[in-house]
Amino acid sequence: MSSELVIQGSLFTPVSPTEFTFLRQALVCIDSTGTIARIVRATDTDYSDVQQTAQRLDHLWQLPHNQYILPGFIDLHVHAPQWPQAGLALDRPLDQWLNTYTFPLEAKFADTTYATKVYHHLVHELLRNGTTTAMYFGTLHLDANLALARQCAQQGQRGFIGQLAMDNPDQTPATYRQASSQEALQTTERFIVQLQRLAKTTGAALTPVITPRFVPSCTSETLRGLGVLAHRNDLPIQSHCSESNWEEQYAELTYHQRDAAVLDQFQLLTSRSVMAHGTQLNADDLTLFADRQTTVAHCPISNCYFGNAVFPVQQALQHQVNVGLGSDLSGGFTPSL
Ligand code: GUN
Ligand code: FE
């Protein structure tokens, strides 16, 4: 067998939430499509043959002993338009932070040239940090969200990309919201069609994600309509759930239910849903998440700033809730998962 590239080094790979495999000085053989064709262990009989052939063809890349091979990271929760304020503006509680800094920044993505510049840099930086798959919140702007998708396609990152929906006039500024539920739903539908077309023409791994920002920022009509769209098109869903006391209280005051139950009522908790944070999820909520097979994007750095709490990872795992990691840029300041 001859490979385009053979990387020789020690590698870690997770096999469950609590276990990983370690291979010392393996040969990772990569074919001309960039796919791992084979991993040769030091104990395999043809180990020396594969190594020598690669060396002769000048295809061998030997890692120094202080470097390791890891699988690509999957960042489950990135606010793409917040990249320009990563590491900044973390001095206010969530509701004030959104209105003071974040909504005005996201509104700037009406300018697609600005969006392309920011997203080029963001995707590049995430790849440099080992993030080969990201689940992104975009903005209200369809063209900017497609610009993000093009960057993923051009730079070779798998992207799950959300056209943001937020239309509740009580909780969002007039300068940064959709004018009606109809506008929110129609824009989402157009985005789904255009992103799927882009995925087809580029061959890139791009998937549209149904993205109600969170319960407070959406009208009930929009939450209902997005649940229907997700089911009709069999699409992933992302939002925030029980991030903070403030968010939890909003659900109880407005819907007389817990945040998780509100999302569930609108069919937004599915096996393809990724809900960020969850610091305030109680045992009943975790049982609901497990029943629906919904995943939590655990964002530990952000939770220090906005959750004022710690997500109970062990408790979630005991309830058999699926948990992954998110940077929550820019609620979390670092692009490094
Ligand atoms: N809740 C609603 N929007 C946001 C956001 O942009 N970041 C975080 N951390 N929480 C949110
Ligand atoms: Fe977030």
mmCIF file of all heavy atoms in Angstrom, residues 215 241-242 248 251 255-269 281 284-285 288-289 292:
data_model
loop_
_atom_site.group_PDB
_atom_site.id
_atom_site.type_symbol
_atom_site.label_atom_id
_atom_site.label_comp_id
_atom_site.label_asym_id
_atom_site.label_seq_id
_atom_site.Cartn_x
_atom_site.Cartn_y
_atom_site.Cartn_z
ATOM 1 N N VAL A 215 -35.247 31.208 24.372
ATOM 2 C CA VAL A 215 -36.681 31.436 24.569
ATOM 3 C C VAL A 215 -37.008 32.930 24.686
ATOM 4 O O VAL A 215 -37.909 33.417 24.005
ATOM 5 C CB VAL A 215 -37.211 30.612 25.774
ATOM 6 C CG1 VAL A 215 -38.599 31.084 26.182
ATOM 7 C CG2 VAL A 215 -37.224 29.131 25.416
ATOM 8 N N CYS A 241 -30.275 26.838 26.672
ATOM 9 C CA CYS A 241 -31.300 26.375 27.613
ATOM 10 C C CYS A 241 -30.778 26.502 29.034
ATOM 11 O O CYS A 241 -29.671 26.045 29.338
ATOM 12 C CB CYS A 241 -31.666 24.921 27.313
ATOM 13 S SG CYS A 241 -32.945 24.291 28.405
ATOM 14 N N SER A 242 -31.571 27.137 29.892
ATOM 15 C CA SER A 242 -31.256 27.221 31.326
ATOM 16 C C SER A 242 -29.820 27.669 31.566
ATOM 17 O O SER A 242 -29.111 27.087 32.379
ATOM 18 C CB SER A 242 -31.470 25.864 32.007
ATOM 19 O OG SER A 242 -32.826 25.541 31.989
ATOM 20 N N GLU A 248 -33.985 31.294 33.253
ATOM 21 C CA GLU A 248 -34.937 30.354 33.849
ATOM 22 C C GLU A 248 -36.173 31.100 34.354
ATOM 23 O O GLU A 248 -37.317 30.688 34.130
ATOM 24 C CB GLU A 248 -34.226 29.613 34.992
ATOM 25 C CG GLU A 248 -34.849 28.343 35.444
ATOM 26 C CD GLU A 248 -35.130 27.339 34.336
ATOM 27 O OE1 GLU A 248 -34.193 26.786 33.764
ATOM 28 O OE2 GLU A 248 -36.325 27.112 34.034
ATOM 29 N N ALA A 251 -38.674 32.135 31.594
ATOM 30 C CA ALA A 251 -39.558 31.045 31.151
ATOM 31 C C ALA A 251 -40.684 30.834 32.155
ATOM 32 O O ALA A 251 -41.854 30.666 31.779
ATOM 33 C CB ALA A 251 -38.763 29.762 30.970
ATOM 34 N N TYR A 255 -44.150 31.606 30.592
ATOM 35 C CA TYR A 255 -44.843 30.381 30.168
ATOM 36 C C TYR A 255 -45.298 29.511 31.340
ATOM 37 O O TYR A 255 -45.905 28.465 31.120
ATOM 38 C CB TYR A 255 -43.915 29.544 29.268
ATOM 39 C CG TYR A 255 -43.634 30.169 27.917
ATOM 40 C CD1 TYR A 255 -42.501 30.961 27.716
ATOM 41 C CD2 TYR A 255 -44.487 29.963 26.834
ATOM 42 C CE1 TYR A 255 -42.226 31.527 26.483
ATOM 43 C CE2 TYR A 255 -44.216 30.527 25.594
ATOM 44 C CZ TYR A 255 -43.093 31.305 25.423
ATOM 45 O OH TYR A 255 -42.826 31.859 24.187
ATOM 46 N N HIS A 256 -44.928 29.925 32.569
ATOM 47 C CA HIS A 256 -45.244 29.124 33.766
ATOM 48 C C HIS A 256 -44.709 27.702 33.634
ATOM 49 O O HIS A 256 -45.340 26.733 34.033
ATOM 50 C CB HIS A 256 -46.760 29.116 34.045
ATOM 51 C CG HIS A 256 -47.344 30.497 33.972
ATOM 52 N ND1 HIS A 256 -47.018 31.478 34.903
ATOM 53 C CD2 HIS A 256 -48.156 31.085 33.072
ATOM 54 C CE1 HIS A 256 -47.628 32.604 34.559
ATOM 55 N NE2 HIS A 256 -48.310 32.404 33.454
ATOM 56 N N GLN A 257 -43.565 27.607 32.994
ATOM 57 C CA GLN A 257 -42.899 26.310 32.840
ATOM 58 C C GLN A 257 -41.400 26.535 32.929
ATOM 59 O O GLN A 257 -40.924 27.654 32.762
ATOM 60 C CB GLN A 257 -43.172 25.742 31.442
ATOM 61 C CG GLN A 257 -44.558 25.240 31.215
ATOM 62 C CD GLN A 257 -44.670 24.623 29.819
ATOM 63 O OE1 GLN A 257 -44.075 23.607 29.550
ATOM 64 N NE2 GLN A 257 -45.400 25.266 28.952
ATOM 65 N N ARG A 258 -40.682 25.448 33.102
ATOM 66 C CA ARG A 258 -39.225 25.567 33.069
ATOM 67 C C ARG A 258 -38.753 25.763 31.623
ATOM 68 O O ARG A 258 -39.449 25.397 30.674
ATOM 69 C CB ARG A 258 -38.586 24.343 33.720
ATOM 70 C CG ARG A 258 -38.894 24.292 35.232
ATOM 71 C CD ARG A 258 -38.140 23.211 35.932
ATOM 72 N NE ARG A 258 -36.701 23.302 35.722
ATOM 73 C CZ ARG A 258 -35.888 24.155 36.364
ATOM 74 N NH1 ARG A 258 -36.368 24.992 37.258
ATOM 75 N NH2 ARG A 258 -34.602 24.158 36.107
ATOM 76 N N ASP A 259 -37.548 26.335 31.474
ATOM 77 C CA ASP A 259 -37.016 26.645 30.139
ATOM 78 C C ASP A 259 -37.027 25.396 29.243
ATOM 79 O O ASP A 259 -37.464 25.442 28.083
ATOM 80 C CB ASP A 259 -35.585 27.173 30.307
ATOM 81 C CG ASP A 259 -35.154 28.092 29.169
ATOM 82 O OD1 ASP A 259 -36.017 28.737 28.551
ATOM 83 O OD2 ASP A 259 -33.937 28.167 28.921
ATOM 84 N N ALA A 260 -36.563 24.269 29.783
ATOM 85 C CA ALA A 260 -36.486 23.032 28.990
ATOM 86 C C ALA A 260 -37.873 22.596 28.531
ATOM 87 O O ALA A 260 -38.057 22.170 27.383
ATOM 88 C CB ALA A 260 -35.825 21.925 29.811
ATOM 89 N N ALA A 261 -38.860 22.731 29.409
ATOM 90 C CA ALA A 261 -40.223 22.310 29.056
ATOM 91 C C ALA A 261 -40.802 23.206 27.962
ATOM 92 O O ALA A 261 -41.551 22.736 27.091
ATOM 93 C CB ALA A 261 -41.114 22.334 30.297
ATOM 94 N N VAL A 262 -40.452 24.495 27.989
ATOM 95 C CA VAL A 262 -40.936 25.401 26.935
ATOM 96 C C VAL A 262 -40.381 24.948 25.585
ATOM 97 O O VAL A 262 -41.111 24.795 24.596
ATOM 98 C CB VAL A 262 -40.519 26.869 27.218
ATOM 99 C CG1 VAL A 262 -40.970 27.772 26.067
ATOM 100 C CG2 VAL A 262 -41.094 27.354 28.542
ATOM 101 N N LEU A 263 -39.075 24.706 25.533
ATOM 102 C CA LEU A 263 -38.456 24.262 24.273
ATOM 103 C C LEU A 263 -39.094 22.947 23.804
ATOM 104 O O LEU A 263 -39.364 22.754 22.612
ATOM 105 C CB LEU A 263 -36.944 24.090 24.459
ATOM 106 C CG LEU A 263 -36.177 25.407 24.675
ATOM 107 C CD1 LEU A 263 -34.793 25.145 25.258
ATOM 108 C CD2 LEU A 263 -36.044 26.180 23.360
ATOM 109 N N ASP A 264 -39.359 22.065 24.760
ATOM 110 C CA ASP A 264 -39.938 20.768 24.407
ATOM 111 C C ASP A 264 -41.354 20.932 23.871
ATOM 112 O O ASP A 264 -41.753 20.257 22.915
ATOM 113 C CB ASP A 264 -39.927 19.853 25.632
ATOM 114 C CG ASP A 264 -40.308 18.435 25.269
ATOM 115 O OD1 ASP A 264 -39.700 17.882 24.319
ATOM 116 O OD2 ASP A 264 -41.225 17.881 25.899
ATOM 117 N N GLN A 265 -42.095 21.849 24.478
ATOM 118 C CA GLN A 265 -43.473 22.103 24.039
ATOM 119 C C GLN A 265 -43.516 22.481 22.554
ATOM 120 O O GLN A 265 -44.455 22.156 21.846
ATOM 121 C CB GLN A 265 -44.036 23.229 24.898
ATOM 122 C CG GLN A 265 -45.394 23.764 24.510
ATOM 123 C CD GLN A 265 -45.666 25.081 25.246
ATOM 124 O OE1 GLN A 265 -45.331 25.234 26.405
ATOM 125 N NE2 GLN A 265 -46.258 26.032 24.553
ATOM 126 N N PHE A 266 -42.460 23.162 22.103
ATOM 127 C CA PHE A 266 -42.414 23.583 20.701
ATOM 128 C C PHE A 266 -41.609 22.596 19.832
ATOM 129 O O PHE A 266 -41.126 22.955 18.750
ATOM 130 C CB PHE A 266 -41.847 24.993 20.597
ATOM 131 C CG PHE A 266 -42.741 26.032 21.222
ATOM 132 C CD1 PHE A 266 -42.321 26.760 22.322
ATOM 133 C CD2 PHE A 266 -44.018 26.261 20.715
ATOM 134 C CE1 PHE A 266 -43.152 27.712 22.912
ATOM 135 C CE2 PHE A 266 -44.854 27.217 21.289
ATOM 136 C CZ PHE A 266 -44.426 27.933 22.392
ATOM 137 N N GLN A 267 -41.438 21.372 20.314
ATOM 138 C CA GLN A 267 -40.734 20.303 19.564
ATOM 139 C C GLN A 267 -39.292 20.661 19.246
ATOM 140 O O GLN A 267 -38.756 20.278 18.198
ATOM 141 C CB GLN A 267 -41.436 20.012 18.235
ATOM 142 C CG GLN A 267 -42.882 19.592 18.330
ATOM 143 C CD GLN A 267 -43.380 19.145 16.972
ATOM 144 O OE1 GLN A 267 -43.065 18.047 16.515
ATOM 145 N NE2 GLN A 267 -44.129 20.012 16.306
ATOM 146 N N LEU A 268 -38.670 21.435 20.155
ATOM 147 C CA LEU A 268 -37.292 21.870 19.878
ATOM 148 C C LEU A 268 -36.249 21.016 20.603
ATOM 149 O O LEU A 268 -35.056 21.239 20.440
ATOM 150 C CB LEU A 268 -37.141 23.355 20.222
ATOM 151 C CG LEU A 268 -37.949 24.282 19.286
ATOM 152 C CD1 LEU A 268 -38.079 25.681 19.867
ATOM 153 C CD2 LEU A 268 -37.309 24.345 17.898
ATOM 154 N N LEU A 269 -36.695 20.046 21.397
ATOM 155 C CA LEU A 269 -35.742 19.105 21.994
ATOM 156 C C LEU A 269 -35.860 17.786 21.246
ATOM 157 O O LEU A 269 -36.840 17.056 21.395
ATOM 158 C CB LEU A 269 -36.032 18.893 23.485
ATOM 159 C CG LEU A 269 -35.932 20.104 24.406
ATOM 160 C CD1 LEU A 269 -36.089 19.681 25.870
ATOM 161 C CD2 LEU A 269 -34.611 20.857 24.226
ATOM 162 N N LEU A 281 -30.236 23.287 34.792
ATOM 163 C CA LEU A 281 -31.096 22.114 34.548
ATOM 164 C C LEU A 281 -31.234 21.302 35.830
ATOM 165 O O LEU A 281 -30.228 20.971 36.468
ATOM 166 C CB LEU A 281 -30.479 21.226 33.453
ATOM 167 C CG LEU A 281 -30.420 21.801 32.026
ATOM 168 C CD1 LEU A 281 -29.672 20.828 31.103
ATOM 169 C CD2 LEU A 281 -31.810 22.084 31.486
ATOM 170 N N ASP A 284 -35.442 16.765 36.770
ATOM 171 C CA ASP A 284 -36.539 16.536 35.812
ATOM 172 C C ASP A 284 -36.127 16.955 34.397
ATOM 173 O O ASP A 284 -36.432 16.270 33.414
ATOM 174 C CB ASP A 284 -37.787 17.336 36.209
ATOM 175 C CG ASP A 284 -38.456 16.759 37.453
ATOM 176 O OD1 ASP A 284 -38.131 15.606 37.815
ATOM 177 O OD2 ASP A 284 -39.273 17.481 38.064
ATOM 178 N N ASP A 285 -35.452 18.102 34.324
ATOM 179 C CA ASP A 285 -34.995 18.578 33.003
ATOM 180 C C ASP A 285 -34.014 17.574 32.388
ATOM 181 O O ASP A 285 -34.067 17.296 31.184
ATOM 182 C CB ASP A 285 -34.276 19.928 33.120
ATOM 183 C CG ASP A 285 -35.155 21.032 33.695
ATOM 184 O OD1 ASP A 285 -36.376 20.987 33.506
ATOM 185 O OD2 ASP A 285 -34.588 21.944 34.337
ATOM 186 N N LEU A 288 -35.792 14.725 30.999
ATOM 187 C CA LEU A 288 -36.408 15.111 29.719
ATOM 188 C C LEU A 288 -35.365 15.106 28.596
ATOM 189 O O LEU A 288 -35.594 14.575 27.499
ATOM 190 C CB LEU A 288 -37.040 16.505 29.860
ATOM 191 C CG LEU A 288 -37.681 17.114 28.621
ATOM 192 C CD1 LEU A 288 -38.859 16.256 28.129
ATOM 193 C CD2 LEU A 288 -38.170 18.545 28.921
ATOM 194 N N PHE A 289 -34.187 15.696 28.865
ATOM 195 C CA PHE A 289 -33.105 15.704 27.859
ATOM 196 C C PHE A 289 -32.739 14.268 27.469
ATOM 197 O O PHE A 289 -32.541 13.972 26.288
ATOM 198 C CB PHE A 289 -31.869 16.423 28.400
ATOM 199 C CG PHE A 289 -31.811 17.889 28.059
ATOM 200 C CD1 PHE A 289 -32.857 18.735 28.381
ATOM 201 C CD2 PHE A 289 -30.699 18.431 27.426
ATOM 202 C CE1 PHE A 289 -32.806 20.096 28.061
ATOM 203 C CE2 PHE A 289 -30.633 19.781 27.096
ATOM 204 C CZ PHE A 289 -31.686 20.620 27.416
ATOM 205 N N ARG A 292 -35.389 12.702 25.257
ATOM 206 C CA ARG A 292 -35.398 13.260 23.898
ATOM 207 C C ARG A 292 -34.064 13.039 23.188
ATOM 208 O O ARG A 292 -33.912 13.389 22.025
ATOM 209 C CB ARG A 292 -35.657 14.776 23.953
ATOM 210 C CG ARG A 292 -36.986 15.149 24.580
ATOM 211 C CD ARG A 292 -38.160 14.777 23.690
ATOM 212 N NE ARG A 292 -39.425 15.179 24.296
ATOM 213 C CZ ARG A 292 -40.244 14.379 24.968
ATOM 214 N NH1 ARG A 292 -39.950 13.095 25.117
ATOM 215 N NH2 ARG A 292 -41.367 14.836 25.491
#
